[in-house]
Amino acid sequence: MAVDLQIAVANADLTVSNEQIEFWVNETLKITGQPQKDLTVRLVEESEIQQLNRDYRNKDKPTNVLSFSFEDVPGVECEYLGDIVICMDVVRNESAQQDKAFESHFAHMVIHGTLHLCGYDHQTDDEAEVMESLENALLKEMLLVPDSPQS
């Protein structure tokens, strides 16, 4: 399993390594029982994520993370899971506003995006509860949040 890290932002100031990102993805795939597949994590500016959010979700505003699952072609074997797009400015601002360490919040976005690629969603209260429970369990397991019910 490999993560292709694409940095498409002028000031990434990324304090985490590609290996850390791969670890977060691997742990998420393990806990969900998903096969280890390659994926892309793309770090972008607000303008790029706003355009993607507008084009694919009809929401004309920046967001923290978007996921795009790879659609398998019948009869063709592929080891690619999809793409996770993270807006660095939004994640930085959220971590400051929520008084969270940047690394923990960034890891949360990687985990959240990976769970979406694995088929998890939060459109209903029940789906949100399952997804948030998995996120919190993973963050605690990786020692990225204090042992509390809030993420």
Side-chain angles (χ1 to χ4, degrees):
M1 196 280 312
V3 173
D4 175 25
L5 179 61
Q6 298 178 355
I7 300 176
V9 58
N11 185 17
D13 281 338
L14 192 60
T15 56
V16 299
S17 68
N18 197 45
E19 290 77 22
Q20 285 174 293
I21 295 169
E22 284 185 2
F23 173 74
W24 299 329
V25 169
N26 273 324
E27 290 302 305
T28 304
L29 294 175
K30 267 197 270 184
I31 204 170
T32 60
Q34 296 292 318
Q36 302 290 305
K37 291 186 174 183
D38 298 340
L39 60 86
T40 297
V41 173
R42 182 173 172 83
L43 309 180
V44 300
E45 306 276 357
E46 283 188 19
S47 58
E48 183 173 337
I49 207 153
Q50 181 169 346
Q51 180 179 351
L52 291 168
N53 205 20
R54 180 183 57 241
D55 292 351
Y56 291 95
R57 297 181 64 227
N58 296 316
K59 295 184 180 188
D60 194 9
K61 62 181 182 177
T63 190
N64 49 21
V65 62
L66 292 171
S67 298
F68 299 93
S69 297
F70 179 74
E71 298 294 324
D72 287 327
V73 177
V76 177
E77 189 108 2
C78 184
E79 293 299 317
Y80 192 73
L81 193 56
D83 303 325
I84 300 170
V85 182
I86 299 173
C87 182
M88 296 299 288
D89 285 340
V90 171
V91 173
R92 269 194 210 97
N93 291 339
E94 287 176 348
S95 62
Q97 290 168 354
Q98 298 168 17
D99 198 28
K100 294 179 179 177
F102 171 78
E103 180 181 314
S104 294
H105 193 50
F106 183 80
H108 189 172
M109 296 303 100
V110 171
I111 291 165
H112 186 88
T114 305
L115 287 172
H116 275 303
L117 294 180
C118 294
Y120 290 87
D121 212 336
H122 45 84
Q123 296 298 317
T124 68
D125 288 344
D126 287 344
E127 289 175 335
E129 188 176 321
V130 168
M131 192 166 177
E132 288 170 16
S133 175
L134 282 170
E135 289 171 351
N136 288 332
L138 282 158
L139 289 166
K140 286 177 190 173
E141 178 183 312
M142 293 182 251
L143 305 176
L144 292 165
V145 293
D147 188 20
S148 70
Q150 274 309 84
S151 64

